[in-house]
Amino acid sequence: MKSITTIFLTFLMFQISFAQTNWDKINLGNWGEIKMPSSMEIQSGIYKKVLDNAKRHFSVNAERIVFQQKGVNDGKNLETYARIIIRTDFTNENLPNLNTTNFTSQDISDLNQMYKSQVYEVANNTTFPAKIIKWNGVKIVTLNGNKAINYSYVRQMNGKPQTYSEFYVFWKGSKQHSLNIEYRINDTSIWKSDLDKAVQTFKLK
């Protein structure tokens, strides 16, 4: 039985690895990279293809990059919703190195309050008001060798379907890089697997 289980797990990992070989590798300037699911596209107008398209290798130089469900650039596939949003923010001072910082429970509590306040402030804006249905507290996770601040929540805008949103925040010098995945709760079976796998391909340089 043990050998059968081992074979099954090996086959499953092979399937996952094979599927990701068809994903486009996106270079994020000189600081990171990620693979984009074949079910998604980059919002038009903010990327250029590397000359050798056979390598399925793209280069992006922007402070905010958005992947969306394939077809949206052509006004199609609007009945569902999924996003991977990568953003860089700048500060006037160097941020602590998350990889070498020992976080206390008070540190985690302070970070939780800070990011929660930011989310609720954005949700309460009058232009695109949203209701936060559920807030999942901050925790420190490791993604491909780098520690990140991780939090998630569920929101709802104007009675529309509820949306799950999750953030991975990285501090590097005076920059804050954030990786954000989003999908509608009722589309979980469609998008969760691909977006979770995409997160695992994200690497800081």
Side-chain angles (χ1 to χ4, degrees), residues 23 37 39-40 69-70 77 79-82 182-197:
W23 291 11
S39 55
M40 306 189 84
Q69 68 268 24
K70 187 171 288 185
N77 201 21
E79 66 278 1
T80 187
Y81 172 86
E182 295 190 344
Y183 53 86
R184 289 175 181 163
I185 296 294
N186 57 13
D187 288 340
T188 297
S189 61
I190 301 174
W191 293 111
K192 177 176 171 55
S193 179
D194 270 3
L195 269 59
D196 284 348
K197 291 174 187 174

Side-chain angles (χ1 to χ4, degrees), residues 42-56:
I42 300 177
Q43 279 188 350
S44 59
I46 62 170
Y47 74 102
K48 60 180 180 180
K49 294 184 179 180
V50 172
L51 292 179
D52 188 0
N53 285 335
K55 292 183 179 180
R56 303 190 65 78

Side-chain angles (χ1 to χ4, degrees), residues 63-89:
E63 294 176 8
R64 186 174 183 270
I65 303 105
V66 180
F67 305 163
Q68 61 197 10
Q69 68 268 24
K70 187 171 288 185
V72 175
N73 285 335
D74 298 320
K76 302 175 182 178
N77 201 21
L78 302 179
E79 66 278 1
T80 187
Y81 172 86
R83 295 290 186 274
I84 298 176
I85 303 168
I86 303 165
R87 173 174 169 169
T88 298
D89 294 293

Side-chain angles (χ1 to χ4, degrees), residues 41-180:
E41 65 187 10
I42 300 177
Q43 279 188 350
S44 59
I46 62 170
Y47 74 102
K48 60 180 180 180
K49 294 184 179 180
V50 172
L51 292 179
D52 188 0
N53 285 335
K55 292 183 179 180
R56 303 190 65 78
H57 190 116
F58 295 77
S59 180
V60 176
N61 187 11
E63 294 176 8
R64 186 174 183 270
I65 303 105
V66 180
F67 305 163
Q68 61 197 10
Q69 68 268 24
K70 187 171 288 185
V72 175
N73 285 335
D74 298 320
K76 302 175 182 178
N77 201 21
L78 302 179
E79 66 278 1
T80 187
Y81 172 86
R83 295 290 186 274
I84 298 176
I85 303 168
I86 303 165
R87 173 174 169 169
T88 298
D89 294 293
F90 302 86
T91 67
N92 294 323
E93 57 186 30
N94 282 338
L95 297 165
N97 187 332
L98 295 179
N99 290 327
T100 59
T101 299
N102 293 319
F103 290 93
T104 66
S105 57
Q106 185 60 53
D107 293 332
I108 301 297
S109 178
D110 291 343
L111 287 170
N112 182 72
Q113 186 57 46
M114 180 179 75
Y115 285 104
K116 183 178 181 180
S117 296
Q118 290 179 5
V119 168
Y120 275 78
E121 182 179 355
V122 172
N124 289 330
N125 79 84
T126 56
T127 305
F128 299 104
K131 180 181 180 181
I132 304 302
I133 305 298
K134 182 181 181 181
W135 169 260
N136 299 312
V138 161
K139 57 185 176 182
I140 305 299
V141 300
T142 300
L143 187 61
N144 286 319
N146 286 285
K147 288 185 178 179
I149 300 166
N150 173 245
Y151 61 91
S152 61
Y153 57 90
V154 177
R155 72 168 186 269
Q156 186 172 29
M157 299 179 65
N158 298 323
K160 294 181 180 179
Q162 295 181 7
T163 299
Y164 175 79
S165 184
E166 182 170 12
F167 282 80
Y168 295 82
V169 179
F170 303 84
W171 291 345
K172 191 173 184 180
S174 61
K175 299 177 181 179
Q176 174 178 276
H177 303 298
S178 62
L179 171 63
N180 171 211

